[in-house]
């Protein structure tokens, strides 16, 4: 899943990017509100983290611009202000959640998972399809009565995106946009390569295949009846 972070404290920005990357997310980031608006206007994300007090445009301005684009991407505000009135203002402005500095990364990660569950209409932190399960907290992937499947960070990110979008055809561009960030400089067939990796780990040896090709359109995860 792909996350966007706008935070003007450079040390904190770097720490959050590092922690989210270690947690399996692809992360793009910037240090001011004007750049944030420019990036959000041309790129889709699964969640956005906004510092409220930023140069050039504050978090409220960025959020208004995002909603003005017609985008419903879940947004988490970061702020040093912890008064109830400040929290109410943040939520009433259209944010989905609010986290006061200083905070633990574990809480930030949990709040991101909760926001994304809500945006995809999912209530459980463990995603299921057929006999395959993915635990979004522990990143454990199991299939066929308890067999654990070991995935690389990118394989996990791709599988998570598929499982959040079960039954939906995902184009190569959609997959690339939600699994890789701006820094990626790989080949044009990267999605096909990772689909092959996933199929070997998820589907090989099982009668019921879960990852299917939709000719001319992309790929879909579904349980064949």
């Amino acid at each position: 899943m792909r996350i966007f972070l706008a935070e003007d404290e450079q040390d904190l920005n770097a720490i959050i990017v590092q922690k989210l990357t270690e947690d399996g997310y692809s992360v793009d980031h910037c240090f001011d509100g004007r750049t944030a608006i420019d990036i959000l206007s041309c790129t889709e994300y699964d969640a956005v983290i906004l510092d409220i007090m930023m140069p050039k445009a504050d978090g409220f301005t960025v959020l208004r611009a995002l909603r003005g684009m017609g985008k419903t991407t879940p947004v988490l505000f970061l702020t040093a202000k912890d008064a109830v009135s400040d929290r109410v203002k943040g939520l009433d402005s259209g944010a989905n959640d609010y986290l006061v500095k200083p905070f633990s990364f574990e809480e930030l990660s949990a709040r991101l998972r909760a926001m994304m569950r809500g945006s995809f209409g999912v209530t459980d932190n463990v995603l299921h399809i057929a006999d395959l399960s993915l635990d979004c907290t522990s990143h454990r992937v199991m299939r066929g009565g308890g067999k654990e499947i070991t995935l690389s960070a990118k394989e996990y990110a791709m599988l998570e995106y598929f499982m959040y979008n079960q039954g939906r055809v995902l184009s190569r561009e959609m997959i690339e946009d939600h699994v890789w960030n701006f820094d990626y400089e790989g080949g044009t067939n990267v999605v096909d390569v990772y689909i092959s990796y996933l199929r070997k780990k998820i589907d090989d040896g099982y009668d019921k295949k879960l990852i299917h090709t939709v000719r001319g359109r992309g790929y879909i995860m579904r349980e064949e009846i």
Side-chain angles (χ1 to χ4, degrees), residues 17-74:
V17 169
Q18 177 186 344
K19 293 292 188 180
L20 290 176
T21 302
E22 291 173 354
D23 213 31
Y25 296 106
S26 293
V27 187
D28 295 317
H29 64 105
C30 73
F31 304 100
D32 69 83
R34 183 67 257 171
T35 302
I37 292 171
D38 291 342
I39 293 173
L40 290 169
S41 69
C42 62
T43 309
E44 297 296 327
Y45 291 94
D46 297 296
V48 173
I49 304 170
L50 296 177
D51 183 29
I52 289 182
M53 301 302 295
M54 290 187 291
K56 299 184 181 180
D58 64 18
F60 297 118
T61 302
V62 177
L63 180 57
R64 284 195 299 271
L66 180 69
R67 297 299 184 235
M69 300 169 198
K71 297 186 178 185
T72 59
T73 312

Side-chain angles (χ1 to χ4, degrees), residues 69-85:
M69 300 169 198
K71 297 186 178 185
T72 59
T73 312
V75 172
L76 171 68
F77 268 146
L78 299 179
T79 183
K81 297 182 177 181
D82 61 354
V84 172
S85 59

Side-chain angles (χ1 to χ4, degrees), residues 15 92 95 115 169 193:
I15 291 171
D92 282 348
M115 285 199 315
V169 178
V193 170

Side-chain angles (χ1 to χ4, degrees), residues 141-165:
V141 177
M142 314 285 287
R143 184 160 191 193
K147 178 186 177 183
E148 186 164 359
I149 299 170
T150 302
L151 301 176
S152 70
K154 277 291 178 279
E155 290 166 353
Y156 173 87
M158 182 178 283
L159 180 61
E160 184 182 47
Y161 183 55
F162 268 112
M163 293 191 73
Y164 270 123
N165 289 279

Side-chain angles (χ1 to χ4, degrees), residues 112-198:
L112 283 174
R113 290 193 298 269
M115 285 199 315
M116 284 189 283
R117 285 199 305 271
S119 67
F120 285 103
V122 175
T123 57
D124 196 340
N125 213 37
V126 181
L127 308 178
H128 298 273
I129 181 171
D131 58 349
L132 176 70
S133 66
L134 180 150
D135 189 319
C136 296
T137 304
S138 67
H139 288 193
R140 293 186 70 190
V141 177
M142 314 285 287
R143 184 160 191 193
K147 178 186 177 183
E148 186 164 359
I149 299 170
T150 302
L151 301 176
S152 70
K154 277 291 178 279
E155 290 166 353
Y156 173 87
M158 182 178 283
L159 180 61
E160 184 182 47
Y161 183 55
F162 268 112
M163 293 191 73
Y164 270 123
N165 289 279
Q166 293 177 37
R168 180 186 180 193
V169 178
L170 303 176
S171 68
R172 289 171 176 81
E173 292 77 13
M174 292 168 64
I175 296 168
E176 188 171 340
D177 286 347
H178 284 267
V179 177
W180 282 270
N181 61 16
F182 283 138
D183 295 331
Y184 174 70
E185 296 181 353
T188 56
N189 67 334
V190 62
V191 171
D192 297 324
V193 170
Y194 273 88
I195 289 290
S196 176
Y197 293 160
L198 264 188

